Structures are given as structure tokens and as C-alpha cells.
Amino acid sequence: MNISLDTSKAVQFLNAGAVEAYESKVKEAQNALENATCAGNDFLGWLHLPTEITEEFLNELQAVANTLREKCEVVVVAGIGGSYLGARAVIEALGNSFAWLVNDDKKNPNIVFAGNNIGEDYLAELTEYLKNKKFGVINISKSGTTTETALAFRLLKKQCEAQRGKEEAKEVIVAITDAKKGAARTCADKEGYKSFIIPDNVGGRFSVLTPVGLLPIAVAGFDIKALVKGAQDMEKATGVDVPFAENIAAQYAATRQALYTQAGKKIEIVCNFQPKLHFMAEWWKQLYGESEGKELKGIFPAACDFTTDLHSMGQWIQEGERSIFETVISIETPAKKLLFPHDDENLDGLNFLEGKRVDEVNKMAELGTRLAHVDGGVPNMRVSVPELNEYYLGQIIYFFEKACGISGLLMNVNPFNQPGVEAYKKNMFALLNKPGYEAESKAIQDRLANEK
């Protein structure tokens, strides 16, 4: 069984045949991806990555993960953007919501994240938390010079060596980096760290199914073979030979493009009614934002956690400017079962729910919300997921990746670069007086002086 897509509550906002009109353009985009004739064709390694992953490679990853699991109470994943969001999305989706607080399950180390911000309080609190703990580090950086990650790794490396000794630290620090060049590669070779390669032809936001995502997920105790199998099955289900009407990646890409170009919908809100999917939405936001937001084009990717955000953003979604559409990720069957109890006093008036599963209430909240939002003029798509496990998360990941590649090409942009990301870095380095940025530094100082 695969995840499924329902676009019926979206196409009703479009002219008849609007989605079908994209069939030939979608086919062109699919062929361009398959034949590597599209813009950014040197970053298409993700396209057939699931079916290229070998059993031996997964076993090698698992062996390193087992070493970290045996030797560490805590493992810090140091990375930013695509170097941590995919792993965090899967780990948060599958993990116990309160494991971070209680960690009663000593079989699995706590997984924490660093290198994704420059917050001094955050890093100081992290180093304090790690004191007197047996911790390891997975350092994820192609260059080794990305400021946020490099800063965090320097702190973590020093602390790990101080607490465990340099020799023992070598056994619990793993580098995921470039094959041959860069500061992280040089450091890994010099220190003797176990290392894995970030493929040259896979961009960060498409890297969940490389060691970037697979190693942290395995360390957390989850089945990376099942995750990859889900992605493999979705690769087949969204292949270029699958008819347009049956290909959910093609349908999703075409529907959102029709909403964007014909119905004036400039914002897509990915919603969930399962709190565990919060970071899956964060991963999705980067995937689509970095891929499509170019040349003054692109659907703005936003996310909401329902029902929580219905009590904050719900009013705007229901009655605000009609520039939005929603994609709901719906989990059909939760992993746990909890029945609503009887109360003799019934002060809250909820005895009518006695004996019902909490998820039944949640599902009616989901359906009621979709009906209300559609009635309020918000087109709505629904991604239905049978249950939340590694296999279906693998399907979700590849489905969104494949649809993103098609959608970006439909928008006539290069979905695989991110030139705009460098702008803030240049300014930051100039303001910090980094060597080599003298001219930029003077230009910024003159500008700031003139703005006073």
C-alpha cells in the first residue's frame, strides 16, 4: 500500500481541465529529469538514489550507528538546513514525544541538534547539558566552513576531547562531508574519524536518503532499511512511465502550479493533525522554498500544526486574504490507542465522547476543518498516510522530492541551486571583518553611516 493524494477539494477552484492541461508540460519536466537535460542537471543524484542504495552500504551505516549507540548517552547532530532537517523530521516523527525529558529507554541515546543557529544561549545551554555525559558528534558539512555548523563543531570537538580523551573521542565523532576537499574532510583525515561522503550530485535539501539523514536516523534506533524501501517503492510509483492520472507526484506538481498561475494562490500551507509531523513540515518548507523561490517567482511555503494553530492562525486562514491553499498530511491510524473516559460530574460536557478513541475526535476535527476552509475559499489537497512508520516516511520524502523537481521545472527555474542563500553570508563576513572581505566591509560601513 502506498500513500495517496486527494486533489478534489482543490480542483473545484479551477476551470475544468486545468490540471489535465499540464500533462504535456509535466511529461517534458519528467523527461528532462530522466535525461538530465534540465537546469541544475549536475544535482540529480537524488532522482534514483533509493534504488541505487545497496544492502552493504546500509549495513556499513548501521555498524557505525551501533558503535555510537553503544558508546554514547547523547549524540549531537551538527548541521544546518538540509544537513539536519530531514534527519530531525524522521526522528521526531517516530520518537517518543517525551523521550528528551525522561529518556527511560536506555537502548537509544538522546539525539540533539546543533550547528543550525548562532544562538549563544542555546550553545551555552547545550554545553552545560553535555557536561559529565558520554556524548558523540555527527558533523555534517560538505565544506566544513559553514559558519553555524563549524562554530558548533569546534565547541563540541573540544568538549568531547576534554571529557573523553582524544583517543576515545575519535571513536564517537563521525564526519559526513566531501570525498576529497574542504576543512571537514581535512579534519576527519587528520584526526582519524570515521567518515561518510555527501555525494557531489545531491544537494542538501535532497540528501535525507544519503548518510546525512540515514546515519542519525539509525543512531536514534529506527529502521533505515524500511525507510529506504518506502522511498524505493515511491520512486517506482512516480516514475516517468506511470500515467499522469495515476502519478501522485505529477498530480501534486500540476495542481499546485494550476492554483498558482490560474487561481492566484501564492502561499501553500502544509498542515498536519499529528504533532509528530512538525519537523516534516519544516523539512518540506526548505525543500520547496529553496527550490522554487527564484527570479521573483515561487509559491511561499508555510506550515501549521493543527488543531493547535487553529486557535491562532485559524481566523486568518478562514477569512483572510484568499491567496492561500492547503495541503494536509493525514495519518490514518496512530501508533497508540487512548480511549476518552467517563466523568460522573460531566462539567465539561464531554461525556458524549465516552469510549471513543482520541484519534476519532482528531479525525472529526480534521474533516471539519477541511470542510470549513474549503467553504471559506481555501483549495485543499490531502496526502493520506496509512500509518506513521519508517516505510511510509520514506514514501513521503521521495514523493515530495519528486514533485518538487517537476514543480520547479514547470515554474521555469533551476530547482537545484540556491544562489540567494549567499547574500546574508557575504554581509555577515564583511561585518565580522573576515579576511578577504575588506571591500565589502567598507561598502557596508559607508552604507550604514549614510542611513543614520
Side-chain angles (χ1 to χ4, degrees):
M1 184 184 298
N2 289 335
I3 64 173
S4 60
L5 175 71
D6 178 7
T7 63
S8 61
K9 300 300 182 185
V11 297
Q12 71 183 59
F13 291 85
L14 297 166
N15 295 329
V19 174
E20 290 75 13
Y22 276 92
E23 182 172 0
S24 62
K25 292 182 180 179
V26 167
K27 191 71 173 179
E28 288 177 13
Q30 290 176 303
N31 286 330
L33 291 170
E34 287 292 329
N35 298 324
T37 56
C38 61
N41 55 21
D42 50 342
F43 282 96
L44 293 176
W46 59 273
L47 188 61
H48 295 298
L49 180 61
T51 51
E52 292 170 355
I53 296 173
T54 66
E55 184 90 4
E56 292 75 19
F57 181 62
L58 291 175
N59 289 338
E60 182 185 358
L61 282 168
Q62 191 64 58
V64 174
N66 290 343
T67 298
L68 291 173
R69 287 167 57 77
E70 292 165 7
K71 295 179 179 292
C72 300
E73 300 170 84
V74 180
V75 174
V76 186
V77 178
I80 194 168
S83 294
Y84 94 103
L85 277 172
R88 188 165 193 177
V90 174
I91 291 167
E92 298 275 349
L94 298 176
N96 185 307
S97 301
F98 302 98
W100 161 247
L101 297 175
V102 295
N103 196 21
D104 288 333
D105 182 4
K106 297 300 182 183
K107 295 182 297 183
N108 298 313
N110 274 337
I111 308 296
V112 298
F113 298 89
N116 52 66
N117 62 65
I118 318 177
E120 186 167 0
D121 287 344
Y122 182 94
L123 289 168
E125 289 161 6
L126 175 62
T127 56
E128 185 66 28
Y129 166 72
L130 294 172
K131 282 183 179 178
N132 303 315
K133 287 187 172 62
K134 293 181 178 180
F135 78 90
V137 184
I138 301 174
N139 186 40
I140 307 172
S141 177
K142 200 168 186 67
S143 66
T145 58
T146 300
T147 305
E148 293 88 343
T149 304
L151 191 156
F153 179 64
R154 182 183 289 200
L155 290 168
L156 292 165
K157 177 178 182 292
K158 296 289 185 184
Q159 185 173 358
C160 187
E161 290 175 346
Q163 290 178 199
R164 306 192 70 157
K166 200 169 179 66
E167 285 304 308
E168 189 176 339
K170 287 198 306 186
E171 299 177 9
V172 294
I173 297 177
V174 180
I176 302 178
T177 186
D178 191 87
K180 298 178 180 178
K181 62 183 185 298
R185 167 52 57 196
T186 300
C187 176
D189 291 344
K190 177 175 176 291
E191 300 290 353
Y193 299 149
K194 177 66 180 177
S195 66
F196 291 96
I197 294 168
I198 302 173
D200 286 337
N201 61 353
V202 179
R205 57 190 178 274
F206 290 87
S207 67
V208 192
L209 299 172
T210 73
V212 168
L214 295 177
L215 181 62
I217 292 166
V219 172
F222 302 116
D223 188 347
I224 55 175
K225 291 183 179 180
L227 185 82
V228 170
K229 180 65 167 64
Q232 289 171 344
D233 288 350
M234 186 51 59
E235 181 185 331
K236 295 172 186 173
T238 57
V240 69
D241 58 332
V242 177
F244 177 74
E246 301 170 18
N247 189 321
I248 64 171
Q251 287 288 311
Y252 179 59
T255 304
R256 60 197 304 277
Q257 285 299 308
L259 290 168
Y260 177 61
T261 59
Q262 297 179 24
K265 305 302 181 183
K266 307 298 183 185
I267 301 167
E268 179 177 9
I269 304 175
V270 156
C271 317
N272 68 79
F273 286 78
Q274 166 57 275
K276 290 174 175 288
L277 291 175
H278 174 82
F279 274 96
M280 184 58 67
E282 293 300 302
W283 169 80
W284 172 88
K285 280 163 58 178
Q286 187 204 0
L287 179 66
Y288 280 79
E290 233 178 32
S291 296
E292 291 185 338
K294 293 153 196 173
E295 301 174 25
L296 305 181
K297 304 174 186 176
I299 300 168
F300 183 81
C304 283
D305 297 320
F306 290 162
T307 60
T308 303
D309 288 337
L310 292 174
H311 296 260
S312 57
M313 292 296 293
Q315 173 62 39
W316 193 95
I317 294 170
Q318 188 69 42
E319 297 183 348
E321 185 179 69
R322 301 296 76 184
S323 56
I324 61 174
F325 66 98
E326 288 180 314
T327 298
V328 178
I329 304 176
S330 179
I331 308 300
E332 296 292 349
T333 306
K336 305 288 174 61
K337 185 176 182 179
L338 185 65
L339 300 180
F340 198 79
H342 172 82
D343 184 86
D344 287 340
E345 295 186 8
N346 196 31
L347 295 177
D348 53 18
L350 294 179
N351 271 353
F352 73 98
L353 297 176
E354 178 185 347
K356 292 184 183 295
R357 292 187 66 172
V358 172
D359 189 60
E360 185 178 346
V361 181
N362 196 36
K363 287 294 192 299
M364 293 307 100
E366 178 184 325
L367 179 57
T369 300
R370 293 187 72 219
L371 292 171
H373 287 181
V374 170
D375 289 346
V378 181
N380 200 288
M381 290 188 277
R382 183 173 184 259
V383 179
S384 180
V385 184
E387 58 185 296
L388 201 53
N389 61 25
E390 292 94 333
Y391 177 77
Y392 288 117
L393 284 171
Q395 289 201 350
I396 292 171
I397 287 165
Y398 190 83
F399 158 67
F400 278 129
E401 287 182 348
K402 186 63 170 290
C404 184
I406 296 169
S407 188
L409 295 181
L410 290 178
M411 206 168 280
N412 293 316
V413 299
N414 178 350
F416 309 115
N417 66 356
Q418 54 280 340
V421 173
E422 300 302 315
Y424 92 90
K425 296 180 183 179
K426 292 178 182 178
N427 288 343
M428 177 180 68
F429 292 149
L431 289 164
L432 289 169
N433 297 314
K434 183 177 181 178
Y437 285 79
E438 289 80 8
E440 291 87 346
S441 179
K442 183 178 185 307
I444 288 178
Q445 295 302 330
D446 290 344
R447 172 182 169 181
L448 294 175
N450 291 331
E451 291 176 356
K452 288 181 179 179

